[in-house]
Amino acid sequence: MFRLSPKAEIRTADQIGLPTGEYQQVQYVTARFVRGKTPKRWRDFPDSERNWAALAPEEAQAMAEQLKNAVISGRVQSLWLSFDPWGEDDFLSVDFEQGRAALLYNACDECAAAPCDPDRPDAWEDAHADIGGQTPVPLACVLENMEKAARVILYFLENGKLSPETKWAVDFTGDLPWV
C-alpha cells in the first residue's frame, strides 16, 4: 500500500509555481507508439533537431491533434515532454498501461508532481502502471479516463503548465509525492 509522502501536498495547478529551467514552453517531445500504430503524419526528429518549439504552428497543431487521438484510442505507450531542448531536465513523463496513464512532472531536486485524487476509495493501492517501466504508482496518481489524460497532456504541451482540470500531488524537494 502506498500513502502520500509527508513532504507532499495536494494542490490545484494555479497553486504550483512550476520550475521550468530557462525555457517557459515545451521544447522537446518524443512519443513511443504501439507497434504499427504511429499516426501517419507523426514524425520523429533527428537527434540534433528534436525540438517541438521549432515546428511551424500549423504542423505543431496537426501533430498535437494526432497525439490526442492516439492517446484516446490507446495507441501510445509513453511520452516525454521537456522544457529542455535536449529532453534532459524539467519534463513531464507519461506511461500508459492497462488503460491507465501515469504522469509525473519532474524538475530535478526542485519539484515532482502527479495528478492526484486522494479521495477515491482505492487511492493507495497499486495502479499496476509504472513510470518508466519501474516506478510503481498508486491509483490516486493515475488517470483512467484517456480523454482526460489527453486534455491534461495537451494543456501541458500547449501552455507549459500543469492542467487545472485535476488536483496535483506535489513535493517541492523533487521526491515522489507518494511512498
Side-chain angles (χ1 to χ4, degrees):
M1 290 285 275
F2 296 91
R3 62 184 168 82
L4 191 64
S5 167
K7 299 182 290 182
E9 302 172 31
I10 305 296
R11 293 189 176 190
T12 59
D14 64 339
Q15 296 172 318
I16 302 169
L18 196 63
T20 63
E22 68 180 277
Y23 300 94
Q24 300 306 305
Q25 290 298 120
V26 171
Q27 304 288 311
Y28 177 97
V29 176
T30 189
R32 192 173 81 220
F33 296 94
V34 172
R35 186 181 188 116
K37 301 292 184 179
T38 302
K40 290 181 182 179
R41 293 185 53 201
W42 186 268
R43 69 179 179 98
D44 288 323
F45 304 95
D47 288 338
S48 62
E49 299 173 13
R50 187 172 287 184
N51 192 324
W52 183 268
L55 292 174
E58 54 279 349
E59 186 176 8
Q61 184 61 38
M63 288 181 70
E65 186 67 24
Q66 291 173 2
L67 183 59
K68 177 183 94 174
N69 293 335
V71 167
I72 291 169
S73 64
R75 295 179 289 153
V76 182
Q77 292 178 320
S78 63
L79 295 168
W80 193 271
L81 296 83
S82 177
F83 288 102
D84 179 271
W86 304 275
E88 296 174 358
D89 297 317
D90 307 313
F91 57 86
L92 178 72
S93 67
V94 187
D95 290 276
F96 299 90
E97 204 169 319
Q98 299 181 22
R100 296 181 174 128
L103 291 81
L104 181 68
Y105 182 75
N106 189 334
C108 303
D109 300 326
E110 289 185 69
C111 173
C116 193
D117 179 5
D119 298 325
R120 65 182 285 169
D122 55 357
W124 303 108
E125 293 178 20
D126 192 341
H128 302 289
D130 298 336
I131 294 172
Q134 63 187 13
T135 304
V137 180
L139 282 166
C141 296
V142 296
L143 298 175
E144 295 178 298
N145 177 320
M146 289 302 108
E147 289 183 15
K148 181 176 181 176
R151 289 190 306 269
V152 169
I153 292 163
L154 288 185
Y155 188 88
F156 183 84
L157 179 61
E158 295 169 354
N159 299 292
K161 297 178 181 178
L162 299 177
S163 171
E165 189 170 341
T166 187
K167 290 181 181 176
W168 296 84
V170 61
D171 181 318
F172 288 106
T173 67
D175 289 335
L176 289 173
W178 60 84
V179 292

